[in-house]
Amino acid sequence: MLYFQKWKLALVALVVGAGLVFAAPNLMSRDKRDSLPDWWQPLSLGLDLQGGSHLLLELNTGELLKDRLEGVVDVVRGALRAERMRYTGLGVKDEAVVATILGDEAARATARKAVRNVIPNADIDVDAEGKLRISYGEKARAEMLEGALSTTLEIIRKRIDELGTREPSIQRQGANRIVVQLPGVSDPKRAREVIGKTARMTFHLLDGETSVQDALKGRVPPGSMLLEGMDAGAKGQKTYYVVRKKVEVAGEHLVDAQPTFDQSRPVVSFRFDALGGRIFGKVTQENVGRNLAIVLDNKVVSAPNIRGPIMQGSGVITGGFTVQGANDLALVLRSGALPTSITFLEERSVGPSLGADSIKAGMIASLVGLGLVIVFMAAAYGLFGLFADVALIVNMVLLIGGLSGIGATLTLPGIAGIVLTMGMAVDANVLIYERMREEVRNGRSVLSSIEAGFGRAFATIFDANITTLVAGALLYQFGSGPVRGFAVTLSLGILSSMFTAVMVTRLQVYLWARRKRPSVLPLPV
Amino acid sequence: MYHGMKFLPEGMRIDFVGKRLIALGMSIVVIVGSMVLLAVHGLNFGIDFAGGIQMEVRSTEKVDLSGLRGKLNGLGVGEIGLQGIGGTGREVMIRIPAFDNETVQNAALKQVREALGPSFEDRRTEVVGPKVGGELVRDGLLAVSLAILAIGAYLWLRFEWQYGVGGMLTLLHDVTATMGLFSITGMEFSLTSVAAVLTIAGYSINDTVVVYDRVRENLRKYKKMPLAELMNLSINEMLSRTILTSGTTVLSVVAIAIFGGEVLRGFALALIWGVIVGTYSSIYISLPVLIYFHLRNTDAVGALEEEEPSRP
């Protein structure tokens, strides 16, 4: 009777030992834990506890498609011209590229073939009236988005790495979103600016024949466009430029950009690849005396005068930058342009002082909660209550060790989960002890009551806890951020409390009973 | 040696089930009241669901609230709410209601930050766009509904269908009553509140399962006992446990409410209410449901009054 199998004893020793090992780094000094391997680290603190920023951003899917279609228009125009086809009304309409091919059946077939050759993965349709329609189906759009998302992820990662943030986390969420977490950054203003810039740079010639006044009245020639300037004018009013639509050199050719100084003003120097350098050389050679506008995300950074041909494939961008402005521009140009613009959907940031306050509050709440429950159990059950208290402390060690071991992040609601676990964990002990009391009242012997208490209460404990686990799992699945942390703590707490109540308490009670051979059950019978 | 203390006298036999009509009436009042409140008064949705901007800032000196209010509302970015917090007079909570789209919202945040100037330290900033808010509402509702269904299904599998229905009704009761509390107090309903609702669901079902387990055991043990009397017996047998567990849980939650700080206070208060409602419902809702759904075909609902109770 009251035999505690050897393997169970070994299991308890193993689990408690593992719990202690995994919980240990939480008590170590910072230097010490930095020298530990990755799998043996303390609990990482959530952004709400250590301070930091959480940004959720979304790719503008509509714009992505529109840009792609506009690109298709140019390609189709080239292809049709190369075949000497006649057509009208080429443009983007209702998420498709449309045109009307003039001519007979043969002309339509040629047009179709020509377009197919240059636009491989789109749906291409030419009807009997010569109406051409090029569109992208679900699958092609999904692929487009997938490509854009992974490019964006990569570029954002590069930009953030250059900002020098400690341990940033950049992850995709769903089909078109990215979550950026920056521990220790409590004001994400600069990060936002650097991440959020599309950084699409192009070089255009200034349209010298059209005055800004005329353009502002709506008289813009077909081959030109009116763009805002990046800097406000002297009195803070907006500045405008009329530039040629034709892209002389595209930003894809940039291979490097660095902040530097020109006559003690911050500027950005850049370098083109070989092809870009040749194009740039040709443009500058042919247009000496004219102005070349540097356009970034549809705004004119500056439009310097071309004083002579620039053949070495590099140059500088001037434009009233601050030192940080020049740094940031160089940074985003180096990392490359985002495939499409992005929108910030959500931003949460916590300053370090609030984080520290939260940790303190959480510690106090935990200790007070633990103390209250310990006293309560001892008062209610005497010696057996103390056994339950030991199990509770072991439970806490296992919970902290478990959370550290799986690399969970401790959040403020997660701390609430730990405190709540303390209150609910002793339920299993209560069920067991109440069962013992009943069994003794029903006339069983002390030892047999003890055994029955553990045996019979187990099914109840199991069913009751599984249902709570179900709630925890759903909380994890549908929760976000800190709430997920809470779900993990609660669920792990349930598992560890089942283990400690059943095994650790049982071990203590059995050892005690074997030594003392009690004639009365030390419970309020 | 100290053997602990008894919370209840020996052999308590409170007639819970006999009072079920009174309890049912009370529950109906609470449930209907909660639903009316939710429909008319609604919930005080926090930024997580409603979207908008919420900032907690701390100044280097005492803040002139009305002056700051005038200054911020002069920006023309919407009606800005200000509230002093923390008792030092230096901390302020700034709330700006939701915007039509993310771009306008981000511009507003920039303006407010500039207006505050460098003497304010950002303690916490939350900016939630209208898109995300709607999704969070959907996810929250989905999580709570699925939890109720999944728990019902588990009880059906492990017990019988009547227990599953009883469990689900109990959960609906508790969830509605908790939402009612949020509505009547005007406490902010946030993501953490959803966590509180689900935790209450978990706690309540835990309590219910413990009593159901005893009912099932007693059904095997006392084959002839009238259902109502068997329920009463089961509840009374578990009463000591119910009180103790509610006690330790409330103790730990009270610790969170008092010491856990501003963020967790609402969460803890909801949980205290949840422990009360959950304990009540596991006695007065989950068990009568079993009677009404004819757990044992041979039993009539009014068996208690007709038969002479017999205990082995």
Side-chain angles (χ1 to χ4, degrees):
Chain A
M1 200 169 264
L2 292 195
Y3 179 65
F4 202 80
Q5 283 125 307
K6 286 256 160 50
W7 70 268
K8 282 188 180 165
L9 193 66
L11 184 69
V12 171
L14 197 73
V15 171
V16 175
L20 282 170
V21 167
F22 280 108
N26 291 293
L27 295 173
M28 292 179 187
S29 68
R30 172 129 209 138
D31 290 343
K32 190 107 185 254
R33 48 173 93 143
D34 283 347
S35 64
L36 295 177
D38 277 350
W39 57 266
W40 197 29
Q41 285 291 323
L43 271 173
S44 51
L45 298 179
L47 293 181
D48 57 343
L49 292 181
Q50 63 165 314
S53 298
H54 162 108
L55 301 167
L56 175 66
L57 46 96
E58 185 177 76
L59 264 64
N60 292 339
T61 332
E63 191 189 289
L64 185 70
L65 183 66
K66 201 173 135 250
D67 281 356
R68 172 67 65 96
L69 291 174
E70 272 163 10
V72 167
V73 168
D74 289 341
V75 174
V76 168
R77 185 181 292 127
L80 292 179
R81 276 189 187 157
E83 294 285 332
R84 300 181 181 283
M85 310 287 310
R86 290 186 304 124
Y87 60 91
T88 58
L90 176 63
V92 178
K93 200 179 152 200
D94 299 334
E95 302 196 336
V97 171
V98 293
T100 307
I101 307 295
L102 303 174
D104 56 6
E105 177 78 30
R108 291 197 287 273
T110 320
R112 192 192 158 82
K113 212 172 134 219
V115 172
R116 166 59 67 206
N117 279 342
V118 287
I119 315 282
N121 51 2
D123 300 331
I124 298 163
D125 206 49
V126 189
D127 67 9
E129 286 158 35
K131 287 214 159 41
L132 169 72
R133 193 181 146 83
I134 306 165
S135 60
Y136 287 95
E138 282 294 319
K139 195 164 157 266
R141 285 187 197 194
E143 276 168 15
M144 205 187 288
L145 187 58
E146 183 64 38
L149 188 70
S150 55
T151 312
T152 308
L153 264 173
E154 200 180 304
I155 292 170
I156 288 180
R157 188 162 293 139
K158 260 192 228 163
R159 292 183 183 175
I160 290 175
D161 281 349
E162 295 216 24
L163 280 181
T165 313
R166 175 173 56 93
E167 294 168 24
S169 141
I170 300 141
Q171 284 169 324
R172 62 178 292 171
Q173 190 183 74
N176 61 345
R177 291 183 181 173
I178 296 173
V179 177
V180 177
Q181 295 199 306
L182 307 169
V185 177
S186 56
D187 179 6
K189 182 166 167 271
R190 182 155 179 239
R192 264 175 80 134
E193 273 172 15
V194 170
I195 297 169
K197 266 208 185 81
T198 313
R200 192 175 294 172
M201 190 163 80
T202 45
F203 292 81
H204 301 252
L205 283 173
L206 218 55
D207 179 353
E209 280 111 54
T210 316
S211 74
V212 171
Q213 282 81 7
D214 280 353
L216 279 172
K217 284 178 197 138
R219 286 197 287 271
V220 184
S224 298
M225 56 186 175
L226 180 69
L227 291 182
E228 234 176 78
M230 190 88 101
D231 295 303
K235 289 175 198 143
Q237 81 275 37
K238 283 180 176 168
T239 54
Y240 292 95
Y241 297 85
V242 185
V243 304
R244 291 276 168 84
K245 272 187 184 163
K246 185 177 176 229
V247 175
E248 300 294 342
V249 195
E252 291 101 83
H253 295 295
L254 278 178
V255 286
D256 192 21
Q258 293 296 338
T260 175
F261 288 92
D262 180 40
Q263 293 161 4
S264 71
R265 279 179 316 167
V267 295
V268 176
S269 72
F270 61 89
R271 200 157 49 79
F272 284 120
D273 58 14
L275 177 61
R278 267 202 303 280
I279 301 171
F280 191 60
K282 190 159 164 273
V283 171
T284 48
Q285 194 171 28
E286 287 168 2
N287 295 289
V288 173
R290 299 184 66 175
N291 289 59
L292 191 65
I294 302 162
V295 179
L296 182 74
D297 297 337
N298 289 324
K299 283 189 176 168
V300 177
V301 181
S302 60
N305 191 270
I306 305 170
R307 282 181 227 127
I310 305 170
M311 306 310 286
Q312 71 275 32
S314 61
V316 291
I317 304 171
T318 54
F321 302 120
T322 58
V323 174
Q324 193 176 78
N327 273 330
D328 289 353
L329 179 59
L331 191 160
V332 297
L333 288 179
R334 266 201 310 278
S335 67
L338 297 181
T340 178
S341 68
I342 54 177
T343 309
F344 288 93
L345 295 183
E346 198 183 78
E347 174 187 328
R348 292 168 195 267
S349 55
V350 170
S353 65
L354 184 68
D357 288 358
S358 294
I359 294 179
K360 213 164 74 192
M363 289 282 267
I364 295 174
S366 307
L367 291 177
V368 171
L370 186 65
L372 286 175
V373 174
I374 283 179
V375 170
F376 189 86
M377 286 300 280
Y381 291 119
L383 178 69
F384 277 22
L386 290 179
F387 289 159
D389 289 339
V390 171
L392 179 61
I393 291 168
V394 172
N395 185 10
M396 286 299 117
V397 172
L398 290 186
L399 181 54
I400 306 241
L403 288 172
S404 310
I406 60 172
T409 304
L410 187 67
T411 60
L412 189 55
I415 295 182
I418 294 182
V419 181
L420 192 64
T421 302
M422 293 176 192
M424 288 170 50
V426 291
D427 178 49
N429 287 107
V430 172
L431 280 168
I432 293 166
Y433 293 161
E434 291 299 315
R435 189 81 210 200
M436 289 180 190
R437 290 175 60 191
E438 274 181 65
E439 298 294 340
V440 164
R441 262 187 256 136
N442 289 344
R444 280 210 193 202
S445 77
V446 174
L447 293 187
S448 130
S449 300
I450 290 178
E451 197 150 42
F454 282 107
R456 297 212 173 156
F458 183 73
T460 315
I461 296 170
F462 184 79
D463 278 330
N465 283 316
I466 292 294
T467 45
T468 314
L469 267 183
V470 168
L474 287 163
L475 203 51
Y476 181 81
Q477 188 60 40
F478 293 98
S480 64
V483 175
R484 277 196 157 189
F486 172 76
V488 172
T489 333
L490 194 67
S491 307
L492 204 61
I494 290 167
L495 292 175
S496 66
S497 70
M498 274 166 75
F499 178 82
T500 51
V502 175
M503 302 291 257
V504 177
T505 317
R506 195 205 294 246
L507 178 63
Q508 295 177 81
V509 172
Y510 278 25
L511 287 178
W512 169 84
R514 266 167 42 187
R515 212 178 52 226
K516 292 274 173 183
R517 299 276 155 202
S519 53
V520 282
L521 188 69
L523 285 175
V525 178
Chain B
M1 191 169 69
Y2 176 64
H3 283 187
M5 60 171 125
K6 247 185 245 179
F7 287 83
L8 293 171
E10 192 72 34
M12 279 249 306
R13 288 293 170 263
I14 302 173
D15 180 16
F16 288 105
V17 179
K19 306 273 189 315
R20 65 174 181 270
L21 286 179
I22 302 172
L24 205 61
M26 216 163 77
S27 283
I28 288 174
V29 169
V30 171
I31 295 306
V32 172
S34 296
M35 284 163 119
V36 169
L37 263 172
L38 285 169
V40 176
H41 188 236
L43 288 168
N44 172 18
F45 278 119
I47 180 180
D48 291 335
F49 298 118
I53 302 176
Q54 188 168 314
M55 296 173 80
E56 219 179 296
V57 292
R58 179 150 74 186
S59 172
T60 42
E61 59 227 52
K62 222 168 154 49
V63 179
D64 164 26
L65 271 184
S66 60
L68 189 63
R69 186 172 291 128
K71 186 172 164 195
L72 292 183
N73 277 311
L75 294 173
V77 293
E79 195 174 320
I80 300 184
L82 257 71
Q83 185 196 345
I85 51 168
T88 56
R90 287 165 46 211
E91 284 165 35
V92 185
M93 175 86 87
I94 302 171
R95 284 197 180 86
I96 311 173
F99 293 83
D100 296 337
N101 70 61
E102 282 78 6
T103 318
V104 186
Q105 181 157 309
N106 290 333
L109 175 68
K110 203 171 159 191
Q111 268 182 288
V112 170
R113 275 200 170 127
E114 274 163 15
L116 283 174
S119 65
F120 284 91
E121 170 204 1
D122 280 1
R123 295 258 287 169
R124 182 215 314 278
T125 310
E126 304 199 4
V127 185
V128 180
K131 213 177 202 168
V132 179
E135 287 169 13
L136 291 177
V137 171
R138 194 195 60 204
D139 285 356
L141 277 175
L142 206 60
V144 175
S145 320
L146 281 178
I148 293 177
L149 283 176
I151 288 169
Y154 181 80
L155 290 183
W156 176 40
L157 280 174
R158 286 284 295 179
F159 293 78
E160 268 163 72
W161 69 267
Q162 289 94 339
Y163 295 91
V165 174
M168 291 205 289
L169 285 177
T170 309
L171 285 176
L172 277 178
H173 172 271
D174 298 350
V175 168
T176 315
T178 309
M179 303 286 272
L181 175 83
F182 275 102
S183 184
I184 201 167
T185 55
M187 262 189 326
E188 193 178 273
F189 195 81
S190 63
L191 271 180
T192 323
S193 313
V194 174
V197 170
L198 275 170
T199 311
I200 289 169
Y203 178 84
S204 161
I205 202 66
N206 191 301
D207 229 26
T208 301
V209 169
V210 167
V211 183
Y212 275 4
D213 198 68
R214 182 51 63 101
V215 168
R216 183 169 59 174
E217 190 184 328
N218 283 340
L219 275 173
R220 285 194 209 115
K221 214 155 134 195
Y222 310 115
K223 292 225 159 37
K224 295 242 168 65
M225 191 186 284
L227 205 47
E229 194 196 336
L230 190 132
M231 303 271 166
N232 259 338
L233 175 70
S234 307
I235 301 168
N236 277 293
E237 280 175 351
M238 299 316 281
L239 203 55
S240 176
R241 173 265 163 191
T242 303
I243 291 173
L244 274 160
T245 299
S246 313
T248 54
T249 308
V250 166
L251 279 181
S252 62
V253 178
V254 164
I256 303 175
I258 298 176
F259 302 104
E262 205 68 48
V263 186
L264 292 180
R265 188 153 300 133
F267 173 79
L269 290 177
L271 280 186
I272 292 174
W273 167 253
V275 171
I276 297 168
V277 173
T279 307
Y280 161 86
S281 69
S282 63
I283 294 172
Y284 280 111
I285 305 295
S286 54
L287 288 185
V289 167
L290 293 186
I291 301 179
Y292 289 117
F293 281 101
H294 300 288
L295 184 60
R296 211 160 57 186
N297 293 329
T298 48
D299 269 311
V301 173
L304 187 62
E305 288 84 6
E306 288 157 23
E307 264 179 65
E308 190 63 28
S310 59
R311 293 267 284 117

